[in-house]
Amino acid sequence: MTTTAPPLPTPATAAQITVRNPVTGADIGTLPVCDAGAVAQTAARARTAQPAWGAQSVRERGRVLSRWMDELWNDQRAVMATIRRETGKTDGGAFSEVALLSAVTGYYNQYAPRFLAAHRRPATFPILHTVQVSYQPRGVCGFITPWNYPLALALIDLIPALFAGNGVVIKPSEVTPFSVIDALTRLQNHLKAASLDPALVGIVTGDASTGAALIDVVDYLSFTGSTATGRKVAARAAARLIPYSLELGGKDPAIVLDDADLDLAAAGVLTGALENSGQVCVSIERVYVLDGVYDTFVARLRDHASRLVQGNGDGMTVHLGSLTHERELLRTEAQVSDAVAKGASVLFGGERVPALGPYFYAPTALVDVTHEMAIMHEETFGPLIPIMRVRDEAEAVHLANDSIYGLSATVFTGDLARGRRLAADIVAGDVAINRAQLNFFNPAAPMGGEKDSGLGRRGGPEGLLRFARTHTVITERPWRGLLGVQLSHTSPLIVWAFGIMRRLRPWLPL
Ligand code: NAD
């Protein structure tokens, strides 16, 4: 299937965004900043297209979405090239985006028909009533998305929204819009091929003003991005009383216990901290190592890090690419300077790598860090690994929880039961044991943040059902009349019946 030009709305204003390759500086393309009128028009078209999509069975919707995902999978080299052009990430990083979406689509294709099926629930008086709950699409769902995984994080929530029968409109990041435009244009073609209206899937390009306008015209808003923007999005959505979810920033801790396999822990910390050059919401950004194994762990980390490959070329053996954003490069440098000024030492790295490109920063570990340093509190979007020695397990958990964020966490231990016990005390949406970011690639389990890391969950039934409205039908059975018509809810018969039900309830089937 060939990709045709996307039907982007024509805005009334002449404002534009220019997208650049962060490695070469080359101009990738220019797109309009859609104004409120263009956004409203796109949402209205999605609204018109939605009933026909909503009328399809979940399995029929799944067939269209699976054909589209098959195309992305089969054409992965081209999809990855688009992602890499706008982000500067590695082949491996770009592949992970395609792989993740393929897993998400496969999961919902298998389970969404079951999760969305109408079903009976227990009635207060089962002899007299039946209760039926069904799920209906919300209408048009809006998505505002970031640049660090421009394809995966744009579509990871949009896919379940489509399974649930909704129309969708997305405002991709102004830094990396072409990955989304390319993928969704392909989806529009599959909708056309199935005699469905491609306007079901709308794309509005632009900046903060476009995102704000989108909140004003949708029935549900899914936001992935920074905590600062998330607060503004939440306030705007709350003013309209529409439901919303927020996937925000993190400062994820890793704890290395004294019984951990230290090679596994060192390699695991490098992977968890340096994936996408650290530009991951769920990257390891603080490492707490128990005193007894601290020196050995640090030596193993340095040893494994010496084998890291950073580069701007092709191939799945390159571990780190460029940073995408100059802003993140400057923030990374500022955090290292602040830490060093306050007494930290650079174990390795600590500088730019201009020979590879303007935004390349070397993988960097710091020791002798303390919680007085910004690097242990502020979110980092760069390849930084600050390491702290801790007395014991209790201190590690206390420091891990000493954060405004609570997205994810990792524990390295040889005793899985001990790891699970510790995990229960860490305030985070998920805790991985012996390998970071496990949850990110597991569409069946809920993922989301506590505290300033967000609100709501993606993944699993939770990540699907938020895009549906429950609709309950409760029916009086016909033989109720045999018991005599009651005109009041407080007749002596009702009082007697509640008394009986209180006794019977524990014995009734669920
Ligand atoms: P950002 O908040 O700057 O922008 C995100 C999106 O919001 C962009 O599309 C932007 O145009 C839009 N936007 C900006 N201001 C807006 C406003 N006032 N109203 C509506 N929309 C607005 O974030 P970013 O720099 O693109 O992404 C990096 C951040 O995203 C990091 O904090 C990272 O941790 C977070 N993130 C979280 C997750 C997660 O799943 N929890 C995943 C990836 C990234």
Side-chain angles (χ1 to χ4, degrees):
M1 182 168 292
T2 53
T3 304
T4 52
L8 288 176
T10 317
T13 62
Q16 292 191 321
I17 47 174
T18 300
V19 183
R20 289 188 197 288
N21 181 320
V23 179
T24 63
D27 200 332
I28 297 175
T30 299
L31 290 162
V33 173
C34 293
D35 64 5
V39 173
Q41 232 177 52
T42 308
R45 284 204 295 264
R47 201 173 286 290
T48 306
Q50 185 274 326
W53 177 249
Q56 303 253 311
S57 71
V58 184
R59 284 190 198 287
E60 284 167 328
R61 290 175 212 148
R63 275 195 281 277
V64 176
L65 295 170
S66 299
R67 279 198 291 272
W68 165 57
M69 199 46 62
D70 287 347
E71 185 196 338
L72 293 185
W73 179 265
N74 292 332
D75 204 10
Q76 60 184 249
R77 293 305 317 175
V79 175
M80 286 159 59
T82 307
I83 294 172
R84 292 186 63 203
R85 211 169 17 251
E86 15 182 54
T87 58
K89 66 172 66 181
T90 59
D91 261 334
F95 172 74
S96 72
E97 301 210 32
V98 181
L100 175 63
L101 294 178
S102 164
V104 168
T105 308
Y107 170 72
Y108 283 120
N109 195 42
Q110 194 174 349
Y111 291 97
R114 192 189 308 168
F115 295 154
L116 289 167
H119 57 275
R120 297 271 286 267
R121 300 258 178 109
T124 308
F125 296 105
I127 301 167
L128 301 180
H129 308 133
T130 60
V131 180
Q132 166 101 354
V133 175
S134 60
Y135 295 101
Q136 300 179 345
R138 288 192 180 277
V140 175
C141 299
F143 301 82
I144 301 175
T145 59
W147 48 263
N148 58 333
Y149 284 80
L151 186 69
L153 291 177
L155 305 186
I156 192 170
D157 298 310
L158 185 140
I159 289 169
L162 285 169
F163 268 100
N166 296 285
V168 293
V169 179
I170 184 164
K171 205 298 279 173
S173 167
E174 54 273 50
V175 183
T176 54
F178 284 105
S179 304
V180 174
I181 292 172
D182 174 55
L184 289 186
T185 307
R186 293 167 188 256
L187 176 54
Q188 287 166 340
N189 291 339
H190 282 281
L191 289 167
K192 266 187 251 168
S195 304
L196 288 156
D197 185 349
L200 180 79
V201 174
I203 310 163
V204 287
T205 54
D207 54 19
S209 65
T210 312
L214 182 60
I215 304 167
D216 293 344
V217 292
V218 292
D219 306 306
Y220 184 97
L221 196 281
S222 160
F223 174 78
T224 305
S226 63
T227 298
T229 308
R231 282 188 208 286
K232 294 183 200 161
V233 167
R236 197 151 182 146
R240 290 194 57 229
L241 291 180
I242 58 163
Y244 58 90
S245 57
L246 305 172
E247 296 283 349
L248 308 178
K251 187 76 195 166
D252 290 358
I255 297 175
V256 181
L257 295 180
D258 45 9
D259 59 3
D261 174 332
L262 294 181
D263 278 310
L264 187 86
V269 163
L270 289 174
T271 315
L274 303 179
E275 155 67 20
N276 203 23
S277 294
Q279 302 166 111
V280 188
C281 51
V282 287
S283 64
I284 292 177
E285 299 188 14
R286 303 175 279 151
V287 185
Y288 303 102
V289 187
L290 261 59
D291 186 36
V293 293
Y294 179 89
D295 295 326
T296 319
F297 170 81
V298 167
R300 303 270 170 93
L301 188 82
R302 191 170 19 202
D303 179 40
H304 283 279
S306 67
R307 294 195 284 277
L308 286 170
V309 178
Q310 187 170 32
N312 55 18
D314 300 340
M316 297 295 274
T317 50
V318 182
H319 299 117
L320 285 93
S322 173
L323 296 185
T324 303
H325 218 295
E326 187 186 20
R327 182 188 73 196
E328 300 307 332
L329 176 68
L330 298 175
R331 188 151 61 126
T332 298
E333 286 183 322
Q335 288 182 358
V336 172
S337 303
D338 171 76
V340 169
K342 290 177 179 157
S345 318
V346 175
L347 186 67
F348 52 81
E351 59 194 4
R352 294 186 188 202
V353 191
L356 293 174
Y359 302 155
F360 276 80
Y361 195 85
T364 299
L366 294 124
V367 289
D368 304 323
V369 297
T370 67
H371 266 224
E372 277 60 60
M373 301 170 184
I375 202 168
M376 296 304 265
H377 287 290
E378 281 177 13
E379 190 176 30
T380 306
F381 250 41
L384 302 187
I385 312 172
I387 308 164
M388 227 178 126
R389 186 194 293 269
V390 291
R391 213 173 34 248
D392 53 21
E393 212 177 281
E395 188 182 18
V397 172
H398 171 75
L399 289 172
N401 287 335
D402 178 20
S403 172
I404 58 167
Y405 295 111
L407 194 52
S408 182
T410 310
V411 178
F412 291 95
T413 174
D415 178 347
L416 300 185
R418 184 183 180 197
R420 291 194 194 101
R421 257 198 326 274
L422 207 79
D425 293 334
I426 298 175
V427 183
D430 67 85
V431 180
I433 297 177
N434 286 337
R435 188 180 174 97
Q437 296 166 8
L438 281 178
N439 206 25
F440 200 37
F441 286 93
N442 186 356
M447 174 199 165
E450 296 297 320
K451 301 189 268 184
D452 284 9
S453 289
L455 208 68
R457 295 291 186 263
R458 64 165 56 115
E462 295 85 353
L464 176 71
L465 296 180
R466 65 192 162 132
F467 294 115
R469 293 185 289 119
T470 58
H471 189 254
T472 302
V473 176
I474 182 156
T475 310
E476 179 111 317
R477 293 186 195 266
W479 56 78
R480 167 77 191 268
L482 299 176
L483 299 174
V485 176
Q486 301 296 328
L487 295 180
S488 152
H489 283 311
T490 55
S491 75
L493 187 58
I494 291 291
V495 175
W496 173 82
F498 265 101
I500 295 287
M501 284 311 296
R502 269 170 57 81
R503 295 222 178 89
L504 284 183
R505 174 67 52 211
W507 309 104
L508 291 177
L510 285 176

